[in-house]
Amino acid sequence: MSSRTMADRGTTSPEPMHPERIGNRYGHFAAGGKEFCITDPRTPRPWSNIIANPRMGLAVSQTGSGFTWIDNAQLAVITRWEQDFAGDSSGKFLFVRDTQSGAMWSLSPAPTWPAYDDYACRHGIGFSVFRTEAHGIRAEWTLFCHARSTAELWRVSLTNLTDQPRSLEVCAYLEWCCGVAPSPRREFHKLFIETEFDAERRAVVACNHMWEVPSEERGHWNTAFPFVSGLAATAPIQSAEGDQGAFLGRLGSVRSPLALVEQSWAGRFGRHEDPIAAMRSAVLIPPGKTQDLGYVLAVGRTRTALNDVLGRLTSVEAIDSALDEVKSDWERRLASSRIETPDTALDYLANDWLRYQAISGRIWGRCGYYQQSGAYGFRDQLQDSQIWLGIDPAKCAGQIKLHAGHQFADGSVYHWWHPLSEQGLTTRMTDDLLWLAFVTANYIKETGDVGILDETAAFVDDDRPVRLWDHVMRAFDRVSRRMSPRGLPHIGTGDWNDGLSNVGREEQGESVWLGHFLAGLLADWAELAARTGAQAKAQDFLCRREALVKAINAFGWDGAWYIRATLDDGTRLGAAENEFGRIFLNAQTWAVLHDVAPPERAHQCMQSVRDHLVTEVGPLLLTPAFATPDPRVGYITRYAPGLRENGGVYTHAACWAVAAAAKVGDAELVDRLLESLNPVRRNPERYWAEPYVTPGNIDGPESPYFGRGGWTWYTGSAAWLQRVITDWVLGVRAEWDGLRIAPCLPPHWPFASVKRMYRGAEYEVTIRREAGHPTDAGPRVTLNGESLPDNLVPPPSRSPDVQRVDVIIG
């Protein structure tokens, strides 16, 4: 514990007000958009931050509630948490007690809900900070994950704002889980946890002798949790407690623990208690001075490994150094690709928050406040990994190879699988396996690295490694064996839309959307086959594409839009005769994106999107919503009307609508959709969700809460919205032989710019409107001052290192 004056390093002053601050009544963006500062903790729903490194992570809301995990946010949860969005008062907390007055409060609103004189929660890129003032004490509590070690770090500063010395007691508190969560068997689970107070290391240590993940070798409930956890303090420990009942008191609560007012603690640890970690330290602060302290919540495979992490990090100096490293790492990671537009709020999202959400929440954490997943979705994290293409393409390649290793020899794949246990669900959905082809093609367009096709990976059921090319071909072969007599792909138990879970269970139902998706992949892989000398395969794929496109347009067109699917009994879904689910979004947008729709049909189906699906809060996934469950269709019909896939805005798919609008050159629709999907623009009393990250869904018009957002953080829309903004709205996207420049800016934007990496070089692209340039003409493009014959910018030559591209549009 260290002491300093308020002028010393580490004490920050409030950010000055700005007349054009972007936010709402509960908070605003700060630090150039890299932080969101919440100034009223009573937000409509928890506004959280998902903070992670590649192995360890924490979720924390503006109340201070949340939890910590390692490697898997469902199977390896370190601290217990209750998912209660109304109360949101469960998690890890810091209490302060004034020994002279007896006043007691928490450094975050939960769990004591004090009447602060001042409050702010700053969610940043890689950290969250609670800054509060109460009872003459200014407190700043910073939470973050170490950049590389399996440790969560807390940095605490307490400043005495009065003219009298202050005698305080600071108490850290958490409840151990050390296993699977959410778990309804708390009373059973606690029977296996063992705790210990390590006085030398000022730490409470916990292990669990039973892990609820079954073992093939030892059976159920007969394996230990494979980690040892510990909470350590930098300050000397006055009292420590390992039993919940002893800390809270009989019929007590975490809002006012009995132990905080008692001089001596029972100090119960071992295997027979209700396992928590609570540690109290005395803090004396002279007038005008600041005391610094910290805590380390660390995890190791062994006690020795845990002790090593605690030994390296349990000091204020080490915590400060680690925080600097985390901030600089994120700054570097996000610096390689930036945009600038007239819409500053959109820039904040695209430059920092969407990519942070995709990396920290979806790829590393695989977790959100709404869902503790922990698993890898075969299609999900593959799509998310495209966020790396403009940052570090090797990480996208690594994700591709990881997923190839979770394919079966017959071409089928896990729908999802859990790291640590490697247990998964073998899918009967027909799109999962094809995303390997989709992302691999996009990786090669971005990097030019066809060598990845020669990388090898084994199968789940065959440990002989084969080339990535062969993995992709087996996926194509499996899909080709699942085609209807009409030449359309079978839908199985769902395609991209998991909720269409019974449409094709008997392998008779067809998916028109999957046909669109497959048609584009056949074109891409025909091109790759030709470029790698597989001419026969290239010709085969082109012939298959031609036949598929012909079948879709013969059997999938309904006069004004494409139907979505057919059921096993032949009933059409997404057709004009349907009472519910008359039109689906994806069946229109992918017809455009993958060039299945002829030009007149492309414009017609996008007009149908405008007429039937576009709302003020975004484009609906389908309409009308299913009013009653229909077991022939699947569980999508069991959601209440207007929720999630059943007639809500599903933001993942909504991003594709923006891309399709850009492809047909509908700038007005692009503008309307971008505005509707920008969470910063939403009225928080109607929207409820965080304004700085994307939600998984927004309630549709059949919901009484039309416009309410939900399922934030854990959504594929983050990576897709960032990609759609740069690739389709600003129109700078990688193709086989260069960067295609095809902007479709909102009509009121006079300019935009993009900085991005492409094949080892930095490209600076400036887009300007010029009076007199025909609006229906293509862009005029120059590269390093030289006019180009078209809008394809070639891959970089040896020099210059920075390629400057100027684009004129009408």
Side-chain angles (χ1 to χ4, degrees), residues 318-360:
I319 293 171
D320 283 342
S321 177
L323 181 58
D324 290 342
E325 183 180 10
V326 164
K327 290 180 177 180
S328 63
D329 272 8
W330 277 110
E331 184 73 25
R332 173 190 50 79
R333 189 173 290 121
L334 301 180
S336 60
S337 176
R338 312 293 289 178
I339 72 168
E340 183 180 359
T341 74
D343 188 341
T344 303
L346 190 72
D347 295 350
Y348 289 167
L349 291 176
N351 285 331
D352 294 304
W353 285 96
L354 295 178
R355 291 188 293 164
Y356 172 61
Q357 179 182 356
I359 295 168
S360 189

Side-chain angles (χ1 to χ4, degrees), residues 520-569:
L521 295 180
L522 289 170
D524 275 347
W525 284 84
E527 181 68 25
L528 271 173
R531 288 170 179 259
T532 53
Q535 297 300 332
K537 178 62 73 175
Q539 189 59 40
D540 174 51
F541 275 12
L542 289 176
C543 290
R544 287 166 61 182
R545 173 185 162 80
E546 182 180 0
L548 178 58
V549 169
K550 183 177 180 180
I552 293 171
N553 280 292
F555 303 115
W557 182 250
D558 196 38
W561 61 77
Y562 289 93
I563 69 169
R564 180 61 172 83
T566 62
L567 278 61
D568 281 324
D569 64 4

Side-chain angles (χ1 to χ4, degrees), residues 242-565:
D243 179 68
Q244 177 88 296
F247 182 71
L248 299 183
R250 187 172 298 182
L251 300 181
S253 77
V254 73
R255 186 160 189 166
S256 182
L258 179 65
L260 296 185
V261 299
E262 292 186 331
Q263 296 236 335
S264 61
W265 289 8
R268 297 173 184 167
F269 297 92
R271 298 186 63 179
H272 297 80
E273 313 304 333
D274 194 343
I276 65 165
M279 295 185 293
R280 180 168 64 182
S281 300
V283 180
L284 303 176
I285 315 177
K289 298 289 186 177
T290 297
Q291 289 282 9
D292 298 326
L293 59 155
Y295 298 86
V296 179
L297 177 56
V299 183
R301 281 283 185 177
T302 64
R303 182 67 177 270
T304 299
L306 171 67
N307 290 344
D308 175 67
V309 177
L310 294 179
R312 286 187 291 107
L313 298 178
T314 311
S315 70
V316 172
E317 294 75 19
I319 293 171
D320 283 342
S321 177
L323 181 58
D324 290 342
E325 183 180 10
V326 164
K327 290 180 177 180
S328 63
D329 272 8
W330 277 110
E331 184 73 25
R332 173 190 50 79
R333 189 173 290 121
L334 301 180
S336 60
S337 176
R338 312 293 289 178
I339 72 168
E340 183 180 359
T341 74
D343 188 341
T344 303
L346 190 72
D347 295 350
Y348 289 167
L349 291 176
N351 285 331
D352 294 304
W353 285 96
L354 295 178
R355 291 188 293 164
Y356 172 61
Q357 179 182 356
I359 295 168
S360 189
R362 281 282 288 191
I363 298 176
W364 289 349
R366 301 181 304 284
C367 182
Y369 223 62
Y370 288 74
Q371 179 179 357
Q372 290 177 251
S373 171
Y376 284 106
F378 195 92
R379 74 161 82 98
D380 300 325
Q381 274 69 38
L382 265 176
Q383 292 174 75
D384 297 330
S385 73
Q386 295 176 112
I387 205 72
W388 290 118
L389 291 177
I391 300 173
D392 185 354
K395 286 186 169 59
C396 180
Q399 199 77 38
I400 289 169
K401 288 180 276 189
L402 175 68
H403 288 242
H406 289 82
Q407 182 189 45
F408 293 86
D410 67 356
S412 62
V413 300
Y414 281 133
H415 183 55
W416 51 256
W417 77 92
H418 276 290
L420 294 180
S421 73
E422 286 299 306
Q423 295 167 344
L425 174 67
T426 306
T427 185
R428 289 184 61 200
M429 297 181 190
T430 46
D431 73 307
D432 281 330
L433 64 172
L434 289 174
W435 289 99
L436 183 67
F438 180 86
V439 176
T440 300
N442 285 344
Y443 167 83
I444 295 172
K445 290 175 186 178
E446 183 71 38
T447 64
D449 175 24
V450 294
I452 193 175
L453 299 175
D454 293 321
E455 297 282 346
T456 61
F459 297 103
V460 174
D461 55 346
D462 187 342
D463 59 7
R464 292 172 296 179
V466 303
R467 299 166 62 226
L468 178 61
W469 170 273
D470 295 318
H471 280 274
V472 173
M473 292 303 111
R474 294 199 191 198
F476 277 122
D477 290 345
R478 179 170 176 80
V479 172
S480 70
R481 296 193 297 269
R482 302 175 73 184
M483 303 290 285
S484 76
R486 302 197 301 178
L488 297 175
H490 286 311
I491 189 171
T493 56
D495 46 24
W496 172 84
N497 191 331
D498 295 3
L500 300 176
S501 55
N502 207 44
V503 169
R505 183 170 293 275
E506 298 175 11
E507 291 292 320
Q508 298 299 314
E510 302 162 319
S511 171
V512 171
W513 170 81
L514 185 62
H516 298 325
F517 187 51
L518 178 58
L521 295 180
L522 289 170
D524 275 347
W525 284 84
E527 181 68 25
L528 271 173
R531 288 170 179 259
T532 53
Q535 297 300 332
K537 178 62 73 175
Q539 189 59 40
D540 174 51
F541 275 12
L542 289 176
C543 290
R544 287 166 61 182
R545 173 185 162 80
E546 182 180 0
L548 178 58
V549 169
K550 183 177 180 180
I552 293 171
N553 280 292
F555 303 115
W557 182 250
D558 196 38
W561 61 77
Y562 289 93
I563 69 169
R564 180 61 172 83

Side-chain angles (χ1 to χ4, degrees), residues 682-704:
R682 305 280 66 82
N683 175 352
E685 302 303 335
R686 179 185 184 187
Y687 180 64
W688 292 18
E690 297 97 323
Y692 44 88
V693 291
T694 55
N697 53 272
I698 303 167
D699 283 18
E702 283 101 337
S703 166

Side-chain angles (χ1 to χ4, degrees), residues 107-299:
L107 296 192
S108 59
T112 67
W113 294 97
Y116 292 123
D117 297 321
D118 188 33
Y119 160 87
C121 170
R122 300 189 340 259
H123 288 321
I125 306 296
F127 62 93
S128 286
V129 182
F130 292 92
R131 181 186 173 92
T132 60
E133 289 185 15
H135 304 283
I137 299 295
R138 177 187 298 146
E140 192 164 293
W141 176 19
T142 303
L143 302 90
F144 64 101
C145 277
H146 193 278
R148 273 158 273 282
S149 295
T150 52
E152 173 184 328
L153 306 176
W154 302 353
R155 172 65 156 82
V156 183
S157 295
L158 300 172
T159 300
N160 182 358
L161 301 178
T162 74
D163 58 3
Q164 298 295 317
R166 302 296 295 274
S167 173
L168 305 178
E169 291 174 342
V170 179
C171 177
Y173 165 86
L174 58 82
E175 182 180 353
W176 296 112
C177 178
C178 300
V180 176
S183 172
R185 298 182 293 274
R186 180 184 180 278
E187 290 302 304
F188 177 70
H189 192 119
K190 74 180 187 182
L191 302 177
F192 302 93
I193 298 178
E194 181 176 1
T195 60
E196 172 193 342
F197 178 55
D198 185 336
E200 180 183 354
R201 291 181 174 82
R202 302 169 178 167
V204 175
V205 177
C207 64
N208 192 342
H209 296 287
M210 189 278 288
W211 193 23
E212 291 181 300
V213 174
S215 166
E216 291 185 3
E217 297 177 0
R218 300 177 183 175
H220 193 51
W221 292 346
N222 198 24
T223 304
F225 184 59
F227 301 101
V228 183
S229 307
L231 176 68
T234 62
I237 302 302
Q238 185 183 63
S239 310
E241 184 55 70
D243 179 68
Q244 177 88 296
F247 182 71
L248 299 183
R250 187 172 298 182
L251 300 181
S253 77
V254 73
R255 186 160 189 166
S256 182
L258 179 65
L260 296 185
V261 299
E262 292 186 331
Q263 296 236 335
S264 61
W265 289 8
R268 297 173 184 167
F269 297 92
R271 298 186 63 179
H272 297 80
E273 313 304 333
D274 194 343
I276 65 165
M279 295 185 293
R280 180 168 64 182
S281 300
V283 180
L284 303 176
I285 315 177
K289 298 289 186 177
T290 297
Q291 289 282 9
D292 298 326
L293 59 155
Y295 298 86
V296 179
L297 177 56
V299 183

